[in-house]
Amino acid sequence: MDPRLKTYIVEDNVTIRENLVGTLEELTCISAIGFAETEAEASQWLSDNGDEWELAIVDLFLKQGSGLGVLQTCMSRRPSQKVVVLSNYATPDIRKRCAQFGVDAVFDKSNEIDGLIDFCIEQAAARHPTRT
């Protein structure tokens, strides 16, 4: 069994997405299994592939639509599936709104990347504990 956390990325900025995937794959136990740049594309993929992903990382501002719509789609996910928001707009109001959608964590792109890395490491360890 692959110990890496199967992760779907919802981010419309190519540079940020590529840097994020590179960083997380290098420093954590995630495997990026796909990405979307729009609300419709992300919502469709996450719904159609409900058994394929373990973590979704969602930006709130997308080329079309909103990450909030993606979060609404994820409300019907299995309890073992985690959803986090990574946004430049991680204000108290946004954090409260994300909590209403059942988001597991919210991270600010500018100063909370270490928190996201720690979250991914913790989730991978919890999902695939080392056998002794």
Side-chain angles (χ1 to χ4, degrees), residues 51-132:
D51 293 332
E52 301 299 317
W53 61 278
E54 297 170 309
L55 172 65
I57 300 173
V58 181
D59 185 16
L60 296 179
F61 294 92
L62 304 171
K63 279 187 179 177
Q64 293 180 334
S66 165
L68 294 175
V70 177
L71 300 181
Q72 188 169 10
T73 297
C74 292
M75 288 181 73
S76 61
R77 71 189 185 274
R78 294 187 320 273
S80 62
Q81 292 172 307
K82 303 300 179 189
V83 176
V84 300
V85 168
L86 181 64
S87 176
N88 285 323
Y89 303 96
T91 65
D93 286 343
I94 289 292
R95 290 175 190 274
K96 182 177 178 182
R97 185 73 193 265
C98 290
Q100 293 170 341
F101 284 111
V103 169
D104 296 286
V106 177
F107 301 100
D108 190 302
K109 285 181 184 176
S110 61
N111 60 12
E112 295 181 332
I113 295 296
D114 288 345
L116 175 61
I117 290 168
D118 291 343
F119 180 90
C120 292
I121 291 169
E122 290 166 12
Q123 292 306 309
R127 182 170 300 280
H128 306 290
T130 305
R131 298 173 200 239
T132 55

Side-chain angles (χ1 to χ4, degrees), residues 9-38:
I9 311 288
V10 183
E11 169 62 64
D12 62 348
N13 183 303
V14 176
T15 302
I16 291 173
R17 185 176 62 239
E18 288 176 353
N19 288 336
L20 178 65
V21 168
T23 298
L24 293 179
E25 286 186 339
E26 181 179 336
L27 299 178
T28 74
C29 295
I30 73 127
S31 174
I33 59 170
F35 70 89
E37 296 184 342
T38 68

